Amino acid sequence: MNFKDLLKERIHHDLGFDFYRKDKYPYSKFEVIFKERALIAGTIFVPTIVKIVEDEFFLKEFEESEKHKFELIKRDGDETYSRETIMYIYANANVLLKAERTICNILSELSGIATHVREILSKIDNSVFLLDTRKNDPLFRPEHKYAIRIGGGKNHRSGFFDGVLIKDNDIAIFGSIKAAIDNSLTSSKLLTRIEIEVSNIRDLEEVLLDGRVDAILLDNMPAKTLKEAVEIISKSKKHYIVEASGVKEEDISEISKTGVDFISMSSLIRKAKYIDVSMKVVK
């Protein structure tokens, strides 16, 4: 299943099991309007949505009909202001009526995420990168990760298949940090980076003594402890990627000054506000 299949499922839940026809509906022009200020994300998916609606849910005509076309005024990564038109779409009116809600929902959701990420980035030291997490719906994760990048953030792993993160449960299951690392090194693929989660200085020192992981996640540490942990890591003979997690938005500015390389936050998606987007016929 790829992202097109998921888009099709979203549309299918809107349109049901019925079929639709283009006859009696004119070739029309619609405009996509952002009703509030935002960083745009999601326009890249609009042509695919329109094509899926037309190809999968509409009967083919006996005569060749006019195809859809798009006029982009603003693209993903551009800022839009209140009541601003960012795109015109030309197509059969019934096709666009059926595609309207999916288009608006995706633009609203992804632009909300991108806008929120940019707001958080404005509060932190520019040497630190923001990372997303896996605390979201995995079916929509590729679209969410795209919005994170548009907002200026970076992407953490998508799942168990593209990175190894040794967490507290892994350590508890195998009985020690060393045993958990042993297991991950045995089962991981070639060239896969390994990151381990620690929540106190004692465990951090054990990880550094072992020396086999590539990245260290400092979980739920206050700024003072994070700064101390970063200083200890910097004195080791090996370079580690250092990530802070469990960070609250109100503490983000202080945490960004501790020397960590990355800050991961589930709130980049979970606390993002949907942007008010509409799609109207141009008269």
Side-chain angles (χ1 to χ4, degrees), residues 66-67 153:
E66 293 179 277
K67 289 293 183 181

Side-chain angles (χ1 to χ4, degrees), residues 106-119:
I106 285 180
L107 287 172
S108 174
E109 181 181 11
L110 300 190
S111 297
I113 293 170
T115 301
H116 187 55
V117 170
R118 185 182 62 174
E119 289 171 354

